[in-house]
C-alpha cells in the first residue's frame, strides 16, 4: 500500500516531494496507490511531466496494482495506457475524478482492457456510450460501483451530452446489482440533458439548487433510486414530485431535503407510501409547511407512526 498525503502549508512542495517518492519506487510491488490532496494548490500545480513520469514508474514496476485513487491529478491518456499494459489483470478499483488531462478515449482504454475492474469513479465528461458498453462486455466482471461527478464551475462553460438509454440498459443487464452514484454540482439551466429517459441511477446527490421539473423527471425515470439528497430547491412546494418518487421508486430507502418546501400533508403522504423501508429520513424543520391537516406539533407523531420508529425533523443549530 502507498498512500501519499499532501496536507501541509507548503502543499506544492509537498506534492513535488510525493512525486519524488513515487519516482523511487522501482523495486516495490504496490497493490494500492492513493494520492490524496487535502489542500490547494496540490498535485495539479506540479509539473505535469514530473507527475506523469513519477506515476509511470509505479505503473511499470508494480505489476499487481488492484486499487488506484488519483483524483485531482494531471494523469493523462499515455500514462493510463502504461497502467493498462502492466496491470490489466489485477486492477479492480480506479478513482480518478477531476483529472482534466484524461479523455474519453483514455478511460475507454482502461475499460476495454481491465476486465476485472469492479469500481470506477470519474467525471461525467469521460462517460460515454462506448464506455458503458465496454463495461458490459462478456469478458468484463460485474461492475459493483460506478460514481459519476457532474460538475460545472461556470454557467454555460460546459456542454453536457446525453447517454443513450440502451447503453444504460446494457450495463444493468450485465451488472444487475451495480450501484450508480451521481453527484450533481450544476446550475438549474444545465440539467436539460439528464433523466429525459429511464436512467438506472441508484444514488443521487444535488449540491446546488435543482428545479421542480427536474425532480419530477427523477420520479418518472429513475426506478432504481435508493437514495436522494437535495441541497436546495427554492420556494416551490415539492408535494407532487415527492409523491411521484414514492410511487415509482420502489427501492428508495433514504432521502434528505435541505432548503426546500413541502406541505405537512404532502410529506405525510410521501412517508405513508414509503413506509418502514425509509431507513434514513433527514428533513430540516424549516422545510415543512403547516397546513389544515397537520401542524408542527402533530407531524412528528404521524410520521413516526408510518415509519414504525420515533422520528423528528432536524433542527437548525442556534449558534
Amino acid at each position: 500500500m502507498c498512500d501519499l498525503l499532501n496536507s501541509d502549508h507548503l502543499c506544492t512542495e509537498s506534492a513535488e516531494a510525493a512525486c519524488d517518492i513515487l519516482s523511487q519506487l522501482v523495486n516495490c510491488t504496490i497493490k494500492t496507490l492513493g494520492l490524496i490532496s487535502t489542500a490547494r494548490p496540490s498535485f495539479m500545480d506540479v509539473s505535469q511531466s514530473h507527475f506523469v513520469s513519477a506515476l509511470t514508474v509505479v505503473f511499470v514496476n508494480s505489476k499487481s496494482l488492484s486499487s488506484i485513487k488519483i483524483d485531482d491529478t494531471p494523469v493523462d491518456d499515455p500514462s493510463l495506457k502504461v497502467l493498462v499494459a502492466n496491470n490489466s489483470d489485477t486492477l479492480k478499483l480506479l478513482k480518478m475524478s477531476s483529472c482534466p488531462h484524461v479523455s474519453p478515449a483514455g478511460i475507454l482504454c482502461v475499460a476495454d482492457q481491465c476486465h476485472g475492474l469492479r469500481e470506477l469513479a470519474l467525471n461525467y465528461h469521460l462517460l460515454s456510450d462506448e464506455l458503458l458498453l465496454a463495461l458490459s462486455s462478456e469478458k468484463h466482471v460485474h461492475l459493483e460501483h460506478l460514481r459519476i461527478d457532474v460538475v460545472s464551475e461556470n454557467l454555460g462553460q460546459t456542454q453536457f451530452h446525453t447517454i443513450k438509454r440502451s447503453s444504460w440498459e446494457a450495463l444493468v443487464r450485465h451488472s444487475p446489482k451495480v450501484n450508480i452514484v451521481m453527484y450533481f454540482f450544476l446550475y438549474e439551466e444545465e440539467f436539460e440533458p439528464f433523466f429525459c429517459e429511464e436512467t438506472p441511477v441508484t444514488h443521487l446527490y444535488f449540491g446546488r439548487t435543482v428545479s421542480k421539473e427536474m425532480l419530477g423527471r427523477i420520479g418518472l425515470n429513475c426506478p432504481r433510486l435508493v437514495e436522494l439528497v437535495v441541497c436546495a430547491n427554492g420556494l416551490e412546494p415539492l408535494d407532487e414530485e415527492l409523491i411521484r418518487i414514492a410511487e415509482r421508486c420502489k427501492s428508495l430507502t433514504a432521502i434528505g431535503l435541505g432548503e426546500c418546501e413541502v406541505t405537512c400533508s404532502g410529506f405525510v403522504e410521501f412517508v405513508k407510501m414509503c413506509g418502514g423501508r425509509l431507513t434514513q429520513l433527514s428533513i430540516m424543520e424549516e422545510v415543512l409547511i403547516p397546513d389544515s391537516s397537520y401542524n408542527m406539533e402533530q407531524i412528528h407523531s404521524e410520521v413516526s407512526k408510518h415509519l414504525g420508529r420515533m422520528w423528528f425533523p432536524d433542527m437548525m443549530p442556534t449558534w
Side-chain angles (χ1 to χ4, degrees):
M1 177 182 291
C2 182
D3 285 304
L4 298 181
L5 182 67
N6 167 30
S7 61
D8 64 29
H9 66 287
L10 299 172
C11 33
T12 300
E13 290 83 352
S14 177
E16 290 175 347
C19 291
D20 291 338
I21 293 171
L22 290 175
S23 299
Q24 297 170 34
L25 299 178
V26 177
N27 298 314
C28 296
T29 300
I30 298 171
K31 295 184 181 297
T32 300
L33 174 66
L35 302 181
I36 306 165
S37 297
T38 58
R40 294 285 187 268
S42 61
F43 290 102
M44 290 301 300
D45 295 272
V46 303
S47 160
Q48 186 190 359
S49 60
H50 185 198
F51 177 84
V52 168
S53 175
L55 195 63
T56 300
V57 169
V58 178
F59 289 170
V60 168
N61 290 285
S62 290
K63 304 294 185 185
S64 59
L65 278 164
S66 64
S67 175
I68 304 174
K69 299 177 182 179
I70 46 175
D71 294 335
D72 299 295
T73 67
V75 61
D76 59 10
D77 289 0
S79 52
L80 288 182
K81 289 183 179 179
V82 175
L83 168 68
V84 169
N86 292 276
N87 298 272
S88 61
D89 294 335
T90 58
L91 188 63
K92 295 180 179 179
L93 181 150
L94 178 59
K95 194 170 183 290
M96 49 176 302
S97 295
S98 301
C99 295
H101 299 293
V102 174
S103 74
I107 196 67
L108 180 59
C109 173
V110 176
D112 266 336
Q113 302 297 321
C114 299
H115 298 142
L117 195 66
R118 298 180 184 276
E119 298 185 45
L120 178 62
L122 71 169
N123 284 79
Y124 185 81
H125 75 272
L126 297 178
L127 191 69
S128 64
D129 296 294
E130 293 78 11
L131 176 63
L132 292 180
L133 294 176
L135 294 170
S136 309
S137 70
E138 288 185 14
K139 295 179 181 178
H140 207 286
V141 300
H142 295 307
L143 194 69
E144 297 173 0
H145 191 89
L146 176 61
R147 170 176 168 155
I148 305 158
D149 291 348
V150 193
V151 181
S152 172
E153 300 293 345
N154 298 295
L155 179 61
Q157 189 176 52
T158 306
Q159 296 297 315
F160 294 96
H161 59 288
T162 299
I163 299 296
K164 294 177 183 176
R165 178 176 177 175
S166 58
S167 303
W168 286 120
E169 289 174 343
L171 179 66
V172 174
R173 272 196 310 271
H174 179 267
S175 303
K177 295 182 180 180
V178 63
N179 284 322
I180 300 173
V181 182
M182 298 185 76
Y183 284 81
F184 281 88
F185 295 91
L186 299 186
Y187 297 93
E188 282 192 67
E189 300 89 334
E190 296 176 309
F191 280 106
E192 185 177 345
F194 300 97
F195 308 121
C196 296
E197 294 186 301
E198 189 168 302
T199 308
V201 63
T202 55
H203 298 71
L204 271 176
Y205 305 94
F206 293 97
R208 294 179 186 157
T209 300
V210 59
S211 68
K212 274 173 66 75
E213 190 265 340
M214 183 63 179
L215 292 173
R217 277 194 242 166
I218 290 167
L220 287 174
N221 294 317
C222 300
R224 297 179 78 239
L225 191 65
V226 172
E227 182 173 10
L228 173 65
V229 175
V230 179
C231 174
N233 164 259
L235 301 177
E236 300 175 281
L238 299 176
D239 296 29
E240 292 181 11
E241 289 73 22
L242 286 180
I243 289 170
R244 182 183 294 166
I245 287 170
E247 285 175 342
R248 299 175 66 95
C249 303
K250 301 296 186 182
S251 298
L252 187 73
T253 61
I255 188 166
L257 298 178
E259 297 177 18
C260 306
E261 285 192 354
V262 58
T263 68
C264 287
S265 294
F267 183 61
V268 168
E269 182 64 21
F270 167 77
V271 175
K272 186 188 300 183
M273 295 173 70
C274 293
R277 64 184 167 91
L278 276 180
T279 57
Q280 297 181 51
L281 182 60
S282 178
I283 309 295
M284 298 301 297
E285 188 178 52
E286 291 76 12
V287 168
L288 298 168
I289 305 170
D291 55 24
S292 58
S293 298
Y294 302 98
N295 59 34
M296 292 308 296
E297 287 71 34
Q298 297 166 322
I299 190 75
H300 80 87
S301 60
E302 188 67 19
V303 170
S304 297
K305 180 178 72 176
H306 295 298
L307 287 178
R309 67 180 188 278
M310 190 59 68
W311 178 86
F312 290 92
D314 296 334
M315 305 289 288
M316 187 72 74
T318 54
W319 63 83

